[in-house]
Amino acid sequence: MAGGTLTIKLAKGSAARLKASGFQLYGFRQVISSNKSGVPLVASRLGDAQFVDTISVDPSLRHFSVYISLDRIAVDHAVFAGDQAGIREGELAEVSTTGIEPKSGGTAGAVTVLSMAERAMVCGLSAAAMFPANDGPAVPYSGFDIEVGAQVVIAPTASILLMWATSTYDLSVFMAKSLGRSVLIATDLADDTIGFDIDAGWQWPAGALWAKAISPNTELKPLLVLEPGHNRPLGF
């Protein structure tokens, strides 16, 4: 489904039972960075009122941007974008007291954020939500500390994590652990459809390697902020 839309097909009766229990669908996006401060932020949320037997997920990076924030990274707290600018992979985002200026000269396949500001901040990548429509504003989906004079290199990947949970979390909040049955999907390798049965969990073809079930209470950071290989700026 590279470049396309992923469809979640709910088994018969699952949508009604998910609604009855108050489940919501959450989405996260994966990145690669050598900066150990990075955390995943809630990238998408679908309320139970919008559950139908088929749910469309658009993992494409529409409105792809880099942002900065004066908020601190903390579990169960949101990181709000104080300023953000459209960016392309391979570009460098220079941050100063006047805002963000995209330039050439970054790391190939990644976004390089260089701080020329006078105080430490949080930076990261943002993109439109994956559902329900992927046509809204860019939502911060990763957060990194960036100190004065430092740079952070972040590469987006094609992998996403989907999760059912009854807790209510806002967009761009740092959720430390999975709160329900989740699945990690390599969308560049995936089929167009994945199933979910409230009794049996996430379902995909036997032997397929593009999806991995994630249990509740699993730490999300190791799944969604990958470290690069040795002797390489990023894990390419």
Side-chain angles (χ1 to χ4, degrees):
M1 61 151 293
T5 299
L6 175 70
T7 299
I8 303 172
K9 287 191 175 181
L10 300 180
K12 184 177 180 180
S14 291
R17 291 172 62 189
L18 288 165
K19 289 180 183 181
S21 295
F23 278 95
Q24 300 181 70
L25 178 65
Y26 291 92
F28 299 81
R29 298 180 185 272
Q30 186 187 74
V31 298
I32 301 171
S33 179
S34 60
N35 190 298
K36 305 300 188 293
S37 71
V39 301
L41 307 175
V42 175
S44 305
R45 185 186 74 191
L46 190 69
D48 56 9
Q50 297 168 291
F51 291 171
V52 290
D53 289 337
T54 59
I55 299 172
S56 293
V57 178
D58 184 353
S60 63
L61 291 169
R62 294 189 60 197
H63 308 310
F64 185 55
S65 304
V66 61
Y67 77 90
I68 53 174
S69 175
L70 297 181
D71 295 321
R72 296 180 62 186
I73 295 173
V75 176
D76 298 339
H77 287 77
V79 176
F80 297 101
D83 189 23
Q84 58 184 340
I87 198 80
R88 292 181 295 182
E89 293 178 29
E91 289 188 327
L92 180 147
E94 187 174 287
V95 176
S96 68
T97 54
T98 59
I100 303 171
E101 182 179 359
K103 297 182 175 182
S104 61
T107 301
V111 172
T112 302
V113 186
L114 174 64
S115 176
M116 305 297 289
E118 299 175 351
R119 59 164 296 174
M121 298 181 180
V122 168
C123 70
L125 302 181
S126 57
M130 293 179 278
F131 43 79
N134 196 358
D135 59 358
V139 175
Y141 68 85
S142 63
F144 294 81
D145 291 327
I146 183 168
E147 295 75 23
V148 176
Q151 75 173 20
V152 176
V153 182
I154 316 164
T157 80
S159 293
I160 63 173
L161 184 141
L162 302 176
M163 174 197 304
W164 296 104
T166 54
S167 300
T168 299
Y169 272 63
D170 295 326
L171 296 177
S172 303
V173 170
F174 172 25
M175 185 189 296
K177 295 183 178 182
S178 59
L179 302 178
R181 288 178 289 183
S182 307
V183 62
L184 186 65
I185 304 170
T187 64
D188 53 338
L189 304 174
D191 294 343
D192 293 336
T193 302
I194 190 167
F196 183 80
D197 186 310
I198 196 168
D199 292 316
W202 293 98
Q203 300 175 323
W204 59 92
L209 301 178
W210 50 263
K212 178 181 179 181
I214 306 298
S215 302
N217 299 311
T218 300
E219 294 281 349
L220 292 177
K221 178 174 175 173
L223 297 173
L224 296 171
V225 185
L226 303 185
E227 297 185 10
H230 289 182
N231 303 320
R232 305 172 83 176
L234 287 166
F236 300 146

